[in-house]
Amino acid sequence: MTARDLAIFARRNPTIVAGAAILAFMTVIAIFAPFIAGDPRHMNPVNRLLPPSAAFWFGTDGLGRDIFARCVYGARISLIVGISVASASVAIGLAIGLAAGYFRRLDNAIMRLMDGFMAIPAILLAIAMVSLNRATVAIVIVAIIIPEVPRVVRLVRSVVLSTREQPFIEAAISGGGRSLKIVLRHILPSTIPPLIVQATYVTASAILIEAGLSFLGAGVPPETPTWGNMIASSRLLLARAPWTIFFPGLCLALVVLAVNLLGDGLRDRLDPRLSRRM
Amino acid sequence: MTKIARRTVLKSSAAAVAAMAAPSLAMAQARPSAARTIRAVFHGDVPSYDPIWTTANMSAYHGGMVYDTLFGIDSKGDAKPQMVGRYDYDASSMTWTFELRPGLKWHDGTDVTTADVIPSIKRWAVRDGGGQHMMQRVKDIAAKDEKTFTISLKERYGLVLDVLAKTTTPVGFMMRKKEAETDPMQKIETVVGSGPFTLNLAETRPGTQYVYDRNPNYVPRNEAPSGISGGKVVKVDRVVFVNMPDSQTAVAALQAGEIDFYEIPQADFMPQLEADRNIKIQVLNEVGLVGQIRPNFLHPPFDNVKCRQALLYCVKQSDHMRATFGTSKYAKDTPSFFGMGTPMSNDANIGWYTGGQNFAKSKALLAEAGYKGEEVLLMQATNIPYMSNAAQLLAQEMRQGGFNVRVESMDWSNVVQRRANKAPPSQGGWNIFITSSGGTAIGHPILLAAHAATGDKAWFGWPSDEKHEQLRAQWAVGETLADRQRIAREIQENAWNFVPQVYYGQWIQPAAMRTNLQGLLSVAEIIPWWNVEKV
Amino acid sequence: MFAYIVRRILMTVPVMTLVAIIVFMLLHLSPGDPAAIMAGDNATIDQIAAIRAKLGFDQPLWKQFALWCFALIQGDLGNSLFWGDPVIVLIGQRAEPTISLALTTISFAVVVAVSLGVVAAANPGTWIDRSVMGFAVMGFSLPVFVVGYILIFVFAIDLRWLPVQGYTRISEGIGPWLHNLVLPSLALGMAYVALIARIARAAMLEVLSEDYIRTGKAKGVAARPLLLRHALKNAAVPIVTVIGIGVALLIGGVVITETVFNIPGVGRLVVDAISRRDYPIVQGVIMIFAGIYVLVNLLVDLSYTLFDPRIRY
């Protein structure tokens, strides 16, 4: 692809390019955090609540930690939470959804189980799981995956059901093809485009739920730098030291925005049908 | 579906909305005017109506409204009679005689008699550390008649009045015979006291607001109010305890005049509140709170005294105080084992403090102890900000001092449960946790459960030291203040050697209130709402 | 159709049973002991054990579950461990603020979002369309507590137009009631405006491209009544679906919004109850929220027949 092609692609798909560019930038920052910023956990109460300056670009928080360093390392946790929730819930949801959509006898049982999980408010389930157990990144991730899975299952199942009715699948089934082969070769591919779109929305929602859990005091441990944690632990300082909330808030909004833009753009390209329905 | 069906749906949903609003309409009744109602926000919710059963301060605040005490401490900390009128001590037979003052009535209209008071003392004494300490020396509590009763002792014991009058929780509140005879392990549900306020159950919403109305039948004493003693004259019609967990919201509500009083504005809000002409700041509890770090004596490394001593050199109290309270004038260091500003405060054996934070010394002590980097499990309560801050900072300090620390984050409820576990950290136990206690209690070798060093029977951390226990027993029978202060020096001298706990500072929580709120008395651990008025 | 309704209603039974099992297991298999919290700071291990026995927590798990289910079927959610009051009474006392907040939020969101969506769809590709869609993405990307604090800072602390916090009962007048609900509804409604506006726009665009609308236009039916009467009615199906999904999101948002604005609702009741391990309240509230979710989705499914006569079961 030449630079000219790239320019044409960008002009036709401005949302994909904008979203992907912001995300790529944040990912680079997350990966190379140790080269960019200092120790995000180092506390020095003498330096508490300093406004942004040459020494502390984004200022310091209530424990005298460097907000720039915490924002940079915070990108790691937010992206890890977002990506692992998205990939795990898509993988689990895809398997269950394929089974439900293809093996009609399992369908009813599986879908009632999914309904049961969907009926429990996600945030309450997550708060309960995290505060009843230990607050670790792993538990937060699991607590967010559980309510996301049923949504993926529903999507996959609906795609499988509509694909199943296509003549070539019916032919394959009546021709005595093996179930697994039919599912993998013929049905799976049609679920990929809507799933990619869905995965971006799950990523955005996971990042927001992690922030909400931290806000309610049921998130990852407070010394772990995450944007949600930073906002939660500084929220009393809104009037006194706005930078403690402004910078992590900006990072959070920017990444969620980027993911959503990417999702919208991919949806328009990959799944025009879904784009009309959603 | 037809149009008629749709209309039915609409109608029935309208009915549902009406039904939802109806109970509140029915309950609307004449309310006291805003000028005679105080709306106050405290540090938390009232977890139980039974202030004997729980040590929670919010329950004691509730108790201070509806219940009365036999004695009450005044502003100097001396015990003064409250429900008791006349009392006498016979040194030869070691018997105290108490006569209830006339005019005391329960909220249900019946008279307060010794038949209520004696079971009340007994039930409270089961739950209270001070009460248990007293009862070990009590031979008998007996009624002479409806108004007079005696407490006879097995041995000389100077703390009877102090224990009955204290404001540390559980406070010795008197209840009706019916409630007082409840199993001490079970909490009471019925709230009938003899105090200056009554609980208005019709308007109370557990978890949201607790409404207390002036008790028109309360007969106050004639003396001027002081501490929780003296005349409890109520000058408003109603006090509402509002539960508002978010302090940003509470401060904003106070500034907007939506509430009249906020108990715990955080230090970071102080400049903002001090600049507001409608707000004034008042220190209610001059001694404040002392932050405690409790090492677990049962397991390595803190079964070794050198490792506990190393902790003393790691912690820099001023950093801890600054982390949570900024450059506040309300926070300070406390080198004394009995907190600063208490009668027992002293400067025995505080070389570790005057020498300052010393990581090299800490590492040297660890080396002497043969510490080889075994993991230290620090329990961090994430939902209580000052505890969360202290834990994060302590972990950093301990790492710099040579410890290998693992911070385990959980909510306070989990800490409370897990700290009771005596197993090794790898099997659900722990090495170190953080809490705080009232300075008044810290300053008292007997009343604070955490001051016991009785090994298995001691408070969490299970410190064990025979000398400490001998000195505490001597202190309890000390005749004069000077005697007790001398023994307190010895206790501290010994304590900073065997290190049952380490402090990370002492802080005073000033309360903020509207300037038109006047007459609030400064008391440790209870907030009196008598004598207060809105002008 | 009757058979469909009956079948659809029966489907809720296994769902609610599953919810009951999940909730019970989640609470009872996790660490955290209500007895230890209730006993207080100075309690000994024996005292804690005595309280645990009194509460029945020393019983085998299956027995506790059976007892709870049995009571549940009779409509008894049990009593709060801390206050002793029946859970159903506590929830009843907290229901009005939560229902009020949910209703004002949904009405505000639907009115604003559908208008935005319709305006955007009527002017596709123009700057109006693009700014509506831009706003929709933004509204979806901001956490509700950040929006809440910004609103409080601007409208309550700085401009002093609206109260910072709290809730006034509807029995004390519609005015004061609404006064307290404006900011929380705005904060909570932001994400729904974004969500519903997108769907409304997409649904309208699809309907507008259909033949009978084009025919109508060609026949010279005036643009505005045409848009509203025909198109909106047909676009209602996807919009109602989203409102159904939105109820689950709304319940989550309510929990955070009630904390930010100190609204004494059910959301705060359950968050406080979780940190205190007041199991009966947590179980009761989750059962009721799940019940509402199931009920709303049942109504949404049934309402399809109302909005779109072409759907028949």
Side-chain angles (χ1 to χ4, degrees):
Chain A
M1 197 152 61
T2 65
R4 214 178 103 91
D5 295 335
L6 206 65
I8 293 169
F9 182 82
R11 203 172 323 123
R12 289 208 186 129
N13 306 282
T15 51
I16 294 185
V17 173
I22 299 173
L23 276 182
F25 178 67
M26 284 293 186
T27 312
V28 168
I29 281 183
I31 292 171
F32 295 102
F35 302 100
I36 298 169
D39 184 354
R41 291 168 196 241
H42 184 77
M43 289 161 267
N44 186 357
V46 175
N47 287 339
R48 87 189 286 269
L49 298 184
L50 296 179
S53 65
F56 301 101
W57 292 358
F58 290 180
T60 60
D61 71 1
L63 292 171
R65 291 174 296 205
D66 181 1
I67 292 179
F68 175 71
R70 291 182 74 73
C71 277
V72 165
Y73 278 87
R76 284 187 168 185
I77 303 286
S78 278
L79 291 177
I80 285 173
V81 169
I83 291 166
S84 45
V85 168
S87 41
S89 53
V90 162
I92 300 170
L94 179 64
I96 300 178
L98 285 176
Y102 188 79
F103 303 105
R104 305 301 297 147
R105 264 173 302 171
L106 288 176
D107 185 40
N108 214 358
I110 290 179
M111 290 321 287
R112 294 298 80 74
L113 187 67
M114 292 302 119
D115 283 347
F117 275 104
M118 275 183 95
I120 302 174
I123 193 123
L124 289 186
L125 187 74
I127 298 170
M129 278 192 66
V130 175
S131 49
L132 294 175
N133 294 288
R134 280 176 299 124
T136 63
V137 182
I139 288 188
V140 169
I141 290 174
V142 172
I144 306 176
I145 288 174
I146 291 177
E148 294 289 353
V149 166
R151 280 179 254 281
V152 180
V153 171
R154 283 196 157 191
L155 176 73
V156 173
R157 176 178 170 270
S158 73
V159 176
V160 174
L161 286 185
S162 60
T163 317
R164 255 183 85 102
E165 288 168 12
Q166 308 267 337
F168 69 93
I169 305 270
E170 279 181 6
I173 294 174
S174 58
R178 280 180 45 227
S179 302
L180 191 65
K181 201 171 152 195
I182 296 171
V183 170
L184 289 184
R185 181 166 301 170
H186 300 296
I187 298 184
L188 183 64
S190 60
T191 63
I192 300 296
L195 269 182
I196 291 175
V197 177
Q198 181 76 5
T200 60
Y201 295 129
V202 172
T203 308
S205 120
I207 293 172
L208 283 177
I209 292 181
E210 186 276 314
L213 285 176
S214 291
F215 173 74
L216 291 170
V220 297
E223 66 171 351
T224 311
T226 83
W227 299 328
N229 254 349
M230 294 169 72
I231 296 174
S233 63
S234 298
R235 66 182 205 270
L236 301 180
L237 302 167
L238 178 63
R240 167 85 193 280
W243 58 88
T244 54
I245 296 207
F246 177 75
F247 290 107
L250 190 71
C251 294
L252 182 62
L254 204 63
V255 162
V256 178
L257 188 69
V259 176
N260 279 334
L261 285 176
L262 185 65
D264 282 1
L266 287 174
R267 189 194 55 203
D268 291 342
R269 272 194 76 81
L270 295 177
D271 193 2
R273 189 171 48 94
L274 188 74
S275 114
R276 256 182 283 123
R277 206 171 55 212
M278 278 282 289
Chain B
M1 213 180 274
T2 64
K3 272 189 178 168
I4 294 164
R6 201 184 317 180
R7 219 174 279 149
T8 320
V9 170
L10 287 177
K11 247 193 229 159
S12 55
S13 55
V17 171
M20 185 185 90
S24 29
L25 277 172
M27 268 171 21
Q29 47 180 260
R31 294 225 175 104
S33 67
R36 295 191 56 83
T37 301
I38 293 170
R39 293 173 61 78
V41 175
F42 304 95
H43 61 271
D45 186 15
V46 179
S48 158
Y49 286 142
D50 189 344
I52 304 300
W53 186 82
T54 172
T55 54
N57 281 92
M58 280 312 300
S59 291
Y61 291 1
H62 154 82
M65 303 296 279
V66 295
Y67 298 110
D68 216 342
T69 51
L70 292 172
F71 286 80
I73 53 161
D74 66 7
S75 55
K76 295 192 198 78
D78 296 332
K80 292 284 161 63
Q82 184 50 246
M83 290 170 79
V84 166
R86 280 181 302 180
Y87 64 101
D88 199 10
Y89 178 58
D90 171 6
S92 64
S93 63
M94 292 199 290
T95 300
W96 288 89
T97 307
F98 304 98
E99 188 186 303
L100 298 173
R101 67 188 169 94
L104 297 177
K105 283 195 186 301
W106 298 112
H107 295 160
D108 63 7
T110 56
D111 287 337
V112 177
T113 70
T114 47
D116 303 303
V117 168
I118 293 172
S120 291
I121 298 174
K122 287 181 174 163
R123 180 168 186 267
W124 157 79
V126 174
R127 300 292 307 196
D128 180 62
Q132 290 161 10
H133 196 258
M134 177 181 86
M135 289 309 266
Q136 286 163 8
R137 290 148 181 92
V138 167
K139 202 186 324 165
D140 187 35
I141 305 179
K144 274 171 99 176
D145 57 48
E146 284 215 325
K147 291 285 170 193
T148 317
F149 69 100
T150 58
I151 297 180
S152 33
L153 300 169
K154 288 187 235 171
E155 57 186 80
R156 290 186 70 90
Y157 185 60
L159 299 177
V160 174
L161 300 189
D162 292 346
V163 171
L164 289 173
K166 72 187 176 62
T167 54
T168 51
T169 59
V171 179
F173 291 121
M174 294 297 116
M175 297 178 176
R176 287 191 308 180
K177 180 172 190 286
K178 192 167 166 243
E179 282 81 41
E181 286 177 348
T182 309
D183 176 358
M185 292 302 136
Q186 194 167 12
K187 58 190 169 156
I188 57 146
E189 310 284 356
T190 318
V191 183
V192 177
S194 63
F197 290 88
T198 59
L199 178 66
N200 182 337
L201 274 173
E203 303 234 6
T204 291
R205 305 271 174 278
T208 307
Q209 61 168 19
Y210 302 83
V211 178
Y212 299 92
D213 290 335
R214 189 172 67 89
N215 174 6
N217 300 321
Y218 184 78
V219 183
R221 299 183 69 94
N222 294 323
E223 299 93 339
S226 169
I228 61 159
S229 73
K232 298 178 177 176
V233 180
V234 177
K235 297 176 177 173
V236 291
D237 290 334
R238 175 171 285 188
V239 177
V240 184
F241 287 18
V242 183
N243 180 25
M244 214 177 268
D246 189 275
S247 58
Q248 172 106 37
T249 319
V251 165
L254 182 69
Q255 289 191 285
E258 291 165 25
I259 57 171
D260 302 298
F261 174 89
Y262 181 41
E263 187 189 6
I264 50 157
Q266 302 205 352
D268 287 314
F269 290 127
M270 281 303 164
Q272 181 185 339
L273 288 169
E274 278 161 355
D276 189 326
R277 274 180 301 125
N278 297 316
I279 306 287
K280 64 176 175 183
I281 309 291
Q282 183 181 335
V283 173
L284 297 177
N285 178 351
E286 310 272 0
V287 191
L289 290 161
V290 172
Q292 299 157 271
I293 296 165
R294 296 282 291 186
N296 186 344
F297 275 55
L298 302 182
H299 302 291
F302 295 122
D303 57 344
N304 187 319
V305 64
K306 299 246 186 261
C307 293
R308 298 197 298 271
Q309 287 169 349
L311 273 182
L312 284 173
Y313 293 95
C314 289
V315 175
K316 187 173 178 187
Q317 299 190 15
S318 61
D319 270 0
H320 278 270
M321 290 297 94
R322 196 187 263 260
T324 302
F325 304 102
T327 48
S328 168
K329 56 190 176 230
Y330 300 110
K332 60 188 165 205
D333 295 356
T334 174
S336 173
F337 187 66
F338 296 104
M340 305 307 280
T342 70
M344 298 303 135
S345 301
N346 65 78
D347 57 1
N349 193 15
I350 56 168
W352 56 269
Y353 174 77
T354 45
Q357 191 176 34
N358 188 341
F359 294 128
K361 174 82 180 167
S362 166
K363 283 176 183 154
L365 281 164
L366 290 181
E368 279 177 51
Y371 176 74
K372 292 192 184 58
E374 296 92 341
E375 192 172 74
V376 175
L377 194 150
L378 166 63
M379 294 196 289
Q380 175 188 29
T382 53
N383 57 340
I384 300 178
Y386 77 82
M387 288 188 187
S388 174
N389 289 348
Q392 290 179 67
L393 204 52
L394 177 64
Q396 177 172 313
E397 289 171 335
M398 285 174 68
R399 282 174 191 137
Q400 286 171 312
F403 286 97
N404 171 20
V405 186
R406 181 155 71 90
V407 179
E408 192 116 328
S409 302
M410 55 193 98
D411 70 1
W412 176 240
S413 295
N414 267 332
V415 175
V416 168
Q417 186 203 8
R418 187 157 176 186
R419 72 182 182 188
N421 192 336
K422 289 181 176 168
S426 55
Q427 294 163 33
W430 53 277
N431 289 120
I432 199 161
F433 80 96
I434 283 171
T435 184
S436 70
S437 289
T440 322
I442 289 274
H444 198 293
I446 302 301
L447 293 186
L448 185 76
H451 274 332
T454 45
D456 258 7
K457 291 195 203 66
W459 203 63
F460 311 105
W462 307 284
S464 173
D465 190 78
E466 263 177 48
K467 189 174 176 197
H468 186 73
E469 284 308 296
Q470 286 163 7
L471 288 168
R472 288 208 318 147
Q474 281 179 32
W475 188 92
V477 294
E479 294 280 322
T480 64
L481 181 64
D483 279 350
R484 289 183 183 169
Q485 284 174 329
R486 181 182 49 77
I487 302 167
R489 276 192 80 84
E490 290 182 45
I491 296 180
Q492 176 167 323
E493 178 82 34
N494 179 50
W496 288 146
N497 288 335
F498 86 96
V499 200
Q501 58 188 356
V502 175
Y503 299 145
Y504 57 88
Q506 181 171 3
W507 62 94
I508 289 164
Q509 175 61 64
M513 64 203 82
R514 305 289 296 177
T515 39
N516 63 352
L517 201 69
Q518 297 197 342
L520 198 63
L521 302 160
S522 292
V523 184
E525 312 220 17
I526 279 191
I527 299 183
W529 287 103
W530 54 88
N531 198 49
V532 182
E533 56 191 325
K534 273 169 105 172
V535 293
Chain C
M1 185 178 167
F2 180 73
Y4 167 74
I5 292 176
V6 170
R7 200 160 44 96
R8 185 66 188 74
I9 290 172
L10 281 180
M11 262 160 58
T12 60
V13 175
V15 173
M16 291 306 291
T17 313
L18 264 166
V19 172
I21 295 173
I22 297 167
V23 168
F24 187 88
M25 289 305 162
L26 175 66
L27 291 180
H28 288 261
L29 294 180
S30 298
D33 181 358
I37 302 149
M38 293 167 83
D41 254 15
N42 287 317
T44 63
I45 287 162
D46 292 344
Q47 287 172 338
I48 295 172
I51 292 168
R52 196 177 295 131
K54 200 141 268 161
L55 296 173
F57 289 149
D58 54 346
Q59 303 279 325
L61 209 57
W62 64 266
K63 206 168 164 188
Q64 294 183 46
F65 182 67
L67 285 173
W68 178 60
C69 281
F70 189 67
L72 202 62
I73 292 164
Q74 296 168 315
D76 178 10
L77 293 174
N79 293 345
S80 157
L81 298 180
F82 284 83
W83 293 302
D85 304 73
V87 170
I88 196 79
V89 171
L90 289 169
I91 295 177
Q93 287 173 347
R94 305 293 196 89
E96 192 199 304
T98 303
I99 296 173
S100 303
L101 176 59
L103 288 182
T104 49
T105 303
I106 289 202
S107 348
F108 153 75
V110 167
V111 169
V112 174
V114 172
S115 325
L116 286 179
V118 169
V119 169
N123 307 284
T126 64
W127 65 270
I128 300 177
D129 185 24
R130 255 180 261 131
S131 38
V132 167
M133 291 313 288
F135 165 78
V137 180
M138 276 308 292
F140 221 64
S141 305
L142 287 172
V144 59
F145 50 92
V146 172
V147 179
Y149 282 126
I150 292 172
L151 291 175
I152 290 182
F153 194 69
V154 174
F155 294 103
I157 296 180
D158 204 38
L159 297 172
R160 297 197 170 229
W161 289 352
L162 292 159
V164 173
Q165 56 86 34
Y167 176 75
T168 311
R169 295 192 159 258
I170 196 164
S171 56
E172 287 170 32
I174 297 283
W177 174 75
L178 267 180
H179 203 59
N180 264 316
L181 282 173
V182 173
L183 291 185
S185 305
L186 277 176
L188 181 54
M190 201 69 87
Y192 300 94
V193 171
L195 180 70
I196 300 173
R198 289 161 69 117
I199 312 267
R201 172 181 172 276
M204 286 297 295
L205 279 178
E206 186 168 12
V207 172
L208 285 177
S209 67
E210 278 180 23
D211 289 348
Y212 66 104
I213 300 277
R214 273 188 248 151
T215 318
K217 259 189 186 162
K219 277 186 182 163
V221 181
R224 189 154 306 177
L226 173 98
L227 200 65
L228 287 181
R229 199 175 312 136
H230 290 283
L232 204 52
K233 193 173 172 213
N234 287 294
V237 173
I239 294 176
V240 166
T241 311
V242 164
I243 293 172
I245 298 168
V247 167
L249 274 167
L250 188 70
I251 289 171
V254 158
V255 174
I256 294 178
T257 313
E258 285 181 358
T259 306
V260 174
F261 291 94
N262 193 47
I263 296 170
V266 182
R268 258 195 42 207
L269 178 73
V270 67
V271 173
D272 293 349
I274 288 173
S275 66
R276 270 200 287 233
R277 306 291 185 275
D278 200 334
Y279 294 156
I281 293 186
V282 182
Q283 289 166 349
V285 172
I286 294 189
M287 287 306 291
I288 286 187
F289 275 167
I292 292 173
Y293 173 84
V294 168
L295 186 72
V296 168
N297 278 286
L298 178 71
L299 292 178
V300 164
D301 277 4
L302 297 181
S303 75
Y304 289 156
T305 51
L306 196 79
F307 285 112
D308 192 342
R310 284 172 302 182
I311 299 180
R312 280 277 177 265
Y313 296 88

